[in-house]
Amino acid sequence: MAGRTPKCKEPKKIFFIFDDPSAYPPAPSPETEEESLIAGVPQRPALQLKFTGTGREYFRIWIVNLCLTLLTLGIFSAWAKVRKKHYFYSHTKLAGTPFQYLGQPIPILRGRIIGALLFLAYFVASHFLQSTLPYLLVIGLVVAPWVVIRSAAFNARYSAFRNITFSFKSDWRAAAQTLYWLGIIPIYVLGAFLHWWEKGKFVAVATLIGMILFPYWVRRLKAYLICNISYGGKSAKFTAKGDHFFVTYFVAALIVTIVGAAGIFGTYAIRSHYSIPITAQSLLPYVMIYSAYALAYAYVQTRITNLVWSNTRLGPLRFEANLRFGEMAKLYIVNAAAILASAGLLIPWAIIRSVRYRVEQTKVIPEAELSEFRGRKGAAVSAAGAETIDLFDMDISV
Amino acid sequence: MKVLKGSYFDGSQPLAIPATLKLTSNEALLVAGELEKKFVLSRLRVSPKIGTAPRFINLPGGGQFLCRHQTVLNKLPQQSPTEKPVAWLEERWKIALACVATIAAILVAGYVYGLPRLADFVVERLPADVERQIGEESLRLLDQNWFERNESTYPGEKAELRRGFGQMCQALPSRRYCRIEFRTSIGATNGQHGLPNAYTLPGGIVVLKDEMIFFSESPEEVLAVLAHELGHVELRHPLKGVLAGSIVGLLAAVVTQDAAAFSGAVSGFPVLLATTKFSRKFEGQADDYAFELLKKTGHSPEAFANIMERLSTKYKDELYSPSFVSSHPMMKDRIDRARLAAAAGKKVSR
């Protein structure tokens, strides 16, 4: 049975919360070990990864499921989610074999009901009982790591390739250590509790530290989510460095600043030289702010996706993603414009072309035979036996 | 007998083994490489049909067989038989068009008829003291973040406004609780720097900013603004607005959920359109209510027109937003309506 030994190379010593050795670039030792094993093996060709879904077909699936969801006051949404996920998994084919989504609607419905109750509690508290909000935040803080684990486990467990399911194993402490790295989020919440956010100094220091550490936090989260995944007895490894994440977010911030500033000054300049309709005048800043946001978002998505895939290994498999910033920005902007212009009817088309681009820019390169993976035949969670679900199996993610 | 060609996955290794599955009336024979296995037909389970997506036959014992013969697969026992009707619906363009029409009808009818009634229904059943508590809570939050209290400014005017406000409050048919609070923007000395404005919180709490007193030319003008706010109180707009806005947001999230990854604009823009439309309706109602209230308590809507006119010239840039995303009706219309109401009042009194 896999999963007994800790798969992730994140150290488990909780004594080092404030001087955590894993904050430094991970030692490359496991890689060299693996490389020496495959030394001398000729480079194998990448496995073909293809997406075969079409906008026309997905439109019908999307609209029928949306309609049924509205008609059933949201209850059908769990079935809709399963069918839509199923569609995307089945049309993503690696070496000719489609992926499989094995999730069942009932646990998703259960997750959604719990999610809806949590949202309702938050809604009531934030609008009507603001004084209870801090307590709610603390409860959220305790529950969040558990939600992260359950959702990751659900998604992994009900994803399969060639009759072998993925798995995700972790515990609350490991999740909390990742999410609450250096205690940043708990301090923020404590700040809300003790009114620290009303003090300028705290806001300045907390925001600055938060901004600097955010990319490193994202790296830890990605590492946590990837390292605990396993497939066919092999666990995934993640070697990306935090500094690369930092550079990505730094450039994104620059994009926002430059495009945003150009937008604001540009508007003023145009206003003082030409007379343009007041509607256009007041809309222009919004358009510029949206463009800045879209560009930065596309940039982050491009860089982080490439970084994550190219630094992930799963047993004998290496990955490579080659998304391009220009293409991604074009995708986002054309999608948003098409969706707005079509009153939402082009949402399925937009999703299909985005997924196709992402899938087809990703490469899976085997460095040894796939037979290195070993499934657990007859184990409780084989692809066919996915109907067995325990009470806390749920998917809260949207 | 049918012979299906496809791939077999035994679950022990991620390898695709070319295989055939021979189907007789009650048995299935799998031949995959050297493996030969017989299964009872009724124990096979086919994964759900979703468009042209490939489907698997789950075999007893944990193996899987992948093939493309959709018509044969449809006749075998299904893993999830309840999904069959959904697959049938998803295949038809006519159904898809009917769905577009249904969704549009649900959204339009829900927005035009359902939402106001739902908001009325919920708000009317909410006890008055709960609503009041919500209002007090909001005021506390506003005081913490935006406003400060300065009783020493304009003491004479404030006493007079309190009297006038109390008088109008008495005239509300519902005999609702109402109270006036004076505030100013933090750092705006004597209310000379912030934007003149007034707010209605749930539970009948009206917040008037000192800036409005500073800006007005007569107490009559401020009373006209207060009458507008009392219209919101009487019609319980603050709570209804929160409710309606939240429901719109939730619906937009459901409809655009899949596209949310692209940008907030996709779901944000429709929500903005829908909620500002609502807000404009509330403001129009509050105006109409105010004009009646003013006339009933011996004031004239003319004062409302006057102060609005000056506000719209002085704060032209600050107040401007395109009509379709504005939270308030266009100033010019509001002023015209006030003048019309004032003129109508005179005719009747003569």
Side-chain angles (χ1 to χ4, degrees):
Chain A
M1 288 284 283
R4 288 285 158 87
T5 50
K7 287 179 216 100
C8 187
K9 283 185 296 313
E10 302 289 331
K12 300 274 174 195
K13 289 178 207 154
I14 46 163
F15 312 107
F16 290 115
I17 284 184
F18 290 99
D19 185 18
D20 192 333
S22 65
Y24 307 107
S29 57
E31 296 320 310
T32 45
E33 191 184 292
E34 229 172 54
E35 270 156 25
S36 65
L37 275 177
I38 55 150
V41 177
Q43 176 91 34
R44 287 157 202 268
L47 299 175
Q48 196 189 29
L49 193 57
K50 259 182 92 171
F51 183 73
T52 53
T54 61
R56 289 167 65 86
E57 187 176 57
Y58 186 61
F59 174 79
R60 295 193 306 259
I61 291 168
W62 177 80
I63 200 91
V64 165
N65 282 281
L66 179 60
C67 189
L68 291 174
T69 298
L70 288 178
L71 287 174
T72 56
L73 300 175
I75 295 168
F76 191 80
S77 72
W79 280 261
K81 175 171 177 167
V82 168
R83 289 189 71 78
K84 287 188 279 186
K85 275 220 149 192
H86 202 131
Y87 184 82
F88 285 103
Y89 273 58
S90 313
H91 279 292
T92 307
K93 291 166 188 161
L94 178 61
T97 312
F99 282 84
Q100 269 186 293
Y101 183 69
L102 306 165
Q104 297 289 304
I106 298 293
I108 289 175
L109 185 63
R110 200 162 42 212
R112 292 210 157 168
I113 290 172
I114 291 175
L117 291 177
L118 290 178
F119 176 77
L120 193 70
Y122 172 78
F123 174 80
V124 169
S126 63
H127 280 91
F128 305 142
L129 299 159
Q130 282 99 342
S131 54
T132 62
L133 210 52
Y135 300 96
L136 214 68
L137 280 175
V138 171
I139 296 174
L141 220 52
V142 175
V143 176
W146 181 77
V147 172
V148 167
I149 295 173
R150 296 313 308 193
S151 295
F154 188 94
N155 276 324
R157 192 171 167 189
Y158 297 114
S159 301
F161 178 66
R162 291 187 170 169
N163 204 8
I164 297 175
T165 56
F166 290 77
S167 82
F168 182 91
K169 288 216 171 68
S170 177
D171 55 16
W172 187 89
R173 203 159 78 175
Q177 271 182 318
T178 312
L179 276 182
Y180 306 146
W181 176 56
L182 297 183
I184 295 170
I185 293 177
I187 290 171
Y188 280 13
V189 172
L190 197 68
F193 208 62
L194 300 174
H195 303 290
W196 292 348
W197 287 102
E198 287 153 32
K199 296 183 182 92
K201 245 185 216 166
F202 177 80
V203 175
V205 173
T207 312
L208 189 69
I209 291 182
M211 276 164 67
I212 293 171
L213 292 181
F214 177 73
Y216 295 90
W217 179 83
V218 173
R219 186 202 75 86
R220 292 180 147 262
L221 196 63
K222 297 271 182 204
Y224 170 78
L225 289 173
I226 290 170
C227 286
N228 289 300
I229 285 183
S230 63
Y231 173 81
K234 304 272 179 191
S235 49
K237 295 188 175 80
F238 184 70
T239 51
K241 287 181 180 146
D243 296 345
H244 293 138
F245 280 74
F246 182 82
V247 171
T248 303
Y249 282 101
F250 187 76
V251 172
L254 276 185
I255 293 175
V256 170
T257 317
I258 293 168
V259 179
I264 291 163
F265 289 120
T267 313
Y268 273 110
I270 292 170
R271 227 151 104 174
S272 54
H273 290 289
Y274 307 96
S275 66
I276 52 171
I278 192 161
T279 309
Q281 262 186 42
S282 58
L283 282 181
L284 203 59
Y286 293 105
V287 172
M288 290 308 289
I289 289 165
Y290 173 70
S291 321
Y293 162 79
L295 287 179
Y297 185 74
Y299 183 78
V300 167
Q301 287 291 314
T302 309
R303 299 289 310 154
I304 299 288
T305 307
N306 290 349
L307 202 58
V308 166
W309 278 115
S310 308
N311 287 287
T312 298
R313 273 164 180 270
L314 181 63
L317 300 180
R318 197 160 65 74
F319 304 91
E320 224 177 270
N322 298 306
L323 302 182
R324 295 154 86 86
F325 170 53
E327 286 294 314
M328 288 287 276
K330 213 168 81 189
L331 261 178
Y332 284 132
I333 291 170
V334 171
N335 281 351
I339 290 171
L340 285 179
S342 66
L345 289 177
L346 285 178
I347 287 176
W349 171 82
I351 298 170
I352 292 281
R353 65 198 281 266
S354 309
V355 172
R356 175 177 298 126
Y357 180 69
R358 280 170 161 270
V359 168
E360 294 185 348
Q361 294 304 313
T362 308
K363 274 186 192 156
V364 182
I365 304 150
E367 293 185 337
E369 292 295 342
L370 284 185
S371 55
E372 278 199 5
F373 291 111
R374 291 282 163 178
R376 287 167 283 153
K377 207 178 171 186
V381 193
S382 78
E387 295 103 285
T388 51
I389 280 151
D390 71 80
L391 182 67
F392 290 108
D393 246 348
M394 59 183 77
D395 184 10
I396 298 181
S397 64
V398 281
Chain B
M1 195 175 82
K2 284 244 161 60
V3 181
L4 306 179
K5 274 189 180 174
S7 310
Y8 175 66
F9 306 100
D10 64 4
S12 70
Q13 285 183 341
L15 301 176
I17 305 161
T20 57
L21 195 67
K22 289 189 183 111
L23 302 174
T24 62
S25 58
N26 55 5
E27 270 185 341
L29 176 73
L30 173 82
V31 181
E34 285 165 13
L35 184 81
E36 257 188 57
K37 251 185 178 174
K38 244 181 202 168
F39 303 100
V40 182
L41 205 62
S42 62
R43 294 196 57 208
L44 307 187
R45 288 290 178 273
V46 181
S47 66
K49 176 167 170 43
I50 299 174
T52 57
R55 290 155 83 190
F56 292 86
I57 303 176
N58 293 303
L59 304 166
Q64 277 187 335
F65 183 79
L66 170 73
C67 72
R68 300 185 181 281
H69 302 74
Q70 293 276 6
T71 42
V72 181
L73 291 177
N74 286 340
K75 287 176 192 140
L76 293 173
Q78 300 293 310
Q79 194 180 19
S80 175
T82 48
E83 285 182 50
K84 223 173 161 178
V86 187
W88 187 87
L89 294 172
E90 287 166 354
E91 273 161 25
R92 282 156 179 80
W93 275 108
K94 275 183 192 158
I95 302 278
L97 283 178
C99 282
V100 174
T102 311
I103 292 167
I106 291 174
L107 293 182
V108 170
Y111 180 73
V112 177
Y113 301 107
L115 206 52
R117 280 183 182 75
L118 185 69
D120 286 354
F121 181 86
V122 175
V123 169
E124 266 154 33
R125 270 152 195 79
L126 200 74
D129 51 333
V130 173
E131 188 178 344
R132 220 358 228 287
Q133 208 187 332
I134 295 167
E136 302 289 357
E137 190 78 63
S138 316
L139 181 63
R140 205 180 53 76
L141 211 73
L142 286 173
D143 278 342
Q144 241 173 41
N145 298 303
W146 306 101
F147 294 155
E148 59 189 25
R149 198 173 178 161
N150 195 348
E151 288 296 334
S152 60
T153 48
Y154 310 111
E157 285 88 342
K158 281 179 185 169
E160 193 179 340
L161 287 172
R162 266 187 226 281
R163 225 174 9 253
F165 181 85
Q167 216 177 28
M168 286 193 292
C169 183
Q170 293 288 310
L172 294 184
S174 65
R175 306 245 143 233
R176 258 186 241 300
Y177 171 88
C178 26
R179 181 175 96 217
I180 183 166
E181 295 276 348
F182 296 98
R183 294 289 188 277
T184 175
S185 294
I186 289 177
T189 34
N190 299 335
Q192 294 182 14
H193 301 291
L195 207 63
N197 212 342
Y199 307 87
T200 304
L201 307 179
I205 303 168
V206 172
V207 180
L208 181 77
K209 286 180 69 195
D210 290 356
E211 284 87 336
M212 190 64 93
I213 306 176
F214 174 77
F215 182 79
S216 66
E217 284 178 353
S218 71
E220 280 294 297
E221 289 185 350
V222 187
L223 278 176
V225 172
L226 290 176
H228 168 90
E229 300 305 324
L230 280 169
H232 287 314
V233 171
E234 177 67 15
L235 302 168
R236 298 180 93 173
H237 282 158
L239 264 192
K240 287 179 190 168
V242 168
L243 264 172
S246 309
I247 295 169
V248 167
L250 200 67
L251 260 180
V254 169
V255 174
T256 61
Q257 180 200 340
D258 298 331
F262 303 135
S263 77
V266 169
S267 57
F269 190 64
V271 171
L272 188 71
L273 283 181
T275 51
T276 53
K277 178 99 200 325
F278 235 92
S279 171
R280 287 197 296 275
K281 187 174 129 198
F282 282 175
E283 295 303 331
Q285 285 177 351
D287 278 357
D288 290 346
Y289 196 90
F291 304 151
E292 290 307 307
L293 185 64
L294 284 169
K295 284 189 269 183
K296 213 158 69 179
T297 49
H299 305 280
S300 168
E302 185 66 33
F304 187 79
N306 291 342
I307 191 164
M308 284 295 159
E309 203 159 50
R310 287 208 322 284
L311 274 171
S312 64
T313 15
K314 175 147 188 219
Y315 296 100
K316 197 173 153 216
D317 287 353
E318 287 89 337
L319 291 175
Y320 180 78
S321 57
S323 58
F324 56 99
V325 290
S326 169
S327 65
H328 287 65
M330 290 291 94
M331 269 293 196
K332 198 182 159 295
D333 297 343
R334 297 181 74 185
I335 294 163
D336 290 349
R337 284 177 74 92
R339 293 244 154 87
L340 211 66
K346 270 176 209 149
K347 265 180 217 150
V348 171
S349 60
R350 268 173 210 164

